[in-house]
Amino acid sequence: ILNVEQSPQSLHVQEGDSTNFTCSFPSSNFYALHWYRWETAKSPEALFVMTLNGDEKKKGRISATLNTKEGYSYLYIKGSQPEDSATYLCAFYAGANSKLTFGKGITLSVRP
Amino acid sequence: EAQVTQNPRYLITVTGKKLTVTCSQNMNHEYMSWYRQDPGLGLRQIYYSMNVEVTDKGDVPEGYKVSRKEKRNFPLILESPSPNQTSLYFCASSPGQSNQPQHFGDGTRLSIL
């Protein structure tokens, strides 16, 4: 079983704060890294799929970077809003036909 | 509307009584997968399928079966459910494999007494 680590486990911030999360994965056999957003009582929704070292992706106030050589990805949220409160999951593919391994997720709570 | 549909959404049943959770997608996706979500353990992959008649074990396949006879359907079968299979289950699909995002169903909450 591949080890995909996310930190911190949970985060409580004030509205307007910017925040970032880390996803660590094995640097060998990298194929793709996914980020998902999972709101309570809903199902996970894809944020980003990243495949190339140095990739940077952005969607509104949320952005992500990827370093495949050292095995990590950062997710940034600029100016957090209460609606950003959710669990953020990263998931790692070790090869084109491999299974998808998720991290345990990071739970973000944004106080108004 | 493009979607992944799971049924049932909720089920309470007893140990040993065979059950099937259905999953259907209307997006012509090749890749389908089942996950279970348990507190403190995150999403763990049970089985996945890259195409019709092709299935592979994920990280926690014990006690489960799947089949992929048609592209759109990927049922999860618990032949003899046990209490440790009480969990929240998600089905997901994607057009290909690793470079495509997964589309998740709404989840099925199973309680095995």
Side-chain angles (χ1 to χ4, degrees):
Chain A
I1 297 178
L2 295 171
N3 211 21
V4 179
E5 301 283 344
Q6 290 190 250
S7 61
Q9 274 193 326
S10 63
L11 203 53
H12 299 265
V13 301
Q14 198 68 36
E15 181 176 355
D17 288 349
S18 292
T19 187
N20 67 83
F21 316 133
T22 304
C23 173
S24 301
F25 51 85
S27 54
S28 58
N29 293 325
F30 175 85
Y31 206 82
L33 193 284
H34 295 203
W35 280 100
Y36 292 86
R37 183 169 178 273
W38 190 2
E39 290 181 74
T40 303
K42 294 188 178 179
S43 52
E45 290 184 352
L47 285 172
F48 305 114
V49 175
M50 308 177 82
T51 56
L52 297 174
N53 185 42
D55 249 356
E56 289 189 29
K57 300 232 173 174
K58 189 173 181 183
K59 188 183 284 190
R61 293 179 290 100
I62 303 178
S63 60
T65 61
L66 178 68
N67 183 322
T68 61
K69 293 183 179 177
E70 295 182 41
Y72 65 84
S73 175
Y74 292 142
L75 187 79
Y76 300 92
I77 301 179
K78 186 177 176 182
S80 302
Q81 300 296 309
E83 57 264 31
D84 294 330
S85 298
T87 296
Y88 292 84
L89 298 164
C90 68
F92 170 73
Y93 272 106
N97 297 328
S98 78
K99 55 194 175 192
L100 183 60
T101 300
F102 279 84
K104 292 181 183 177
I106 297 164
T107 301
L108 174 66
S109 177
V110 182
R111 294 186 297 271
Chain B
E1 183 191 346
Q3 58 187 3
V4 178
T5 304
Q6 296 178 226
N7 278 298
R9 293 290 312 280
Y10 305 92
L11 179 64
I12 301 174
T13 187
V14 296
T15 299
K17 186 175 180 185
K18 180 180 177 179
L19 68 91
T20 299
V21 185
T22 63
C23 174
S24 180
Q25 50 91 7
N26 62 0
M27 297 169 277
N28 201 36
H29 284 172
E30 292 187 351
Y31 184 94
M32 297 187 74
S33 184
W34 276 104
Y35 302 89
R36 60 178 289 174
Q37 195 268 331
D38 302 290
L41 295 177
L43 277 175
R44 293 182 293 167
Q45 196 171 39
I46 302 170
Y47 270 95
Y48 63 102
S49 168
M50 291 190 290
N51 216 325
V52 175
E53 301 292 359
V54 179
T55 62
D56 280 293
K57 294 178 181 179
D59 288 322
V60 287
E62 296 79 18
Y64 304 94
K65 283 186 180 179
V66 291
S67 68
R68 188 91 183 273
K69 296 184 177 132
E70 307 162 280
K71 200 170 189 179
R72 63 183 291 126
N73 295 324
F74 190 45
L76 180 70
I77 302 153
L78 286 71
E79 293 270 3
S80 183
S82 62
N84 64 9
Q85 292 177 298
T86 293
S87 188
L88 177 60
Y89 291 85
F90 285 99
C91 179
S93 72
S94 69
Q97 310 122 355
S98 56
N99 62 347
Q100 301 288 334
Q102 305 255 308
H103 299 257
F104 284 83
D106 288 335
T108 295
R109 188 164 290 282
L110 283 184
S111 294
I112 316 292
L113 304 177

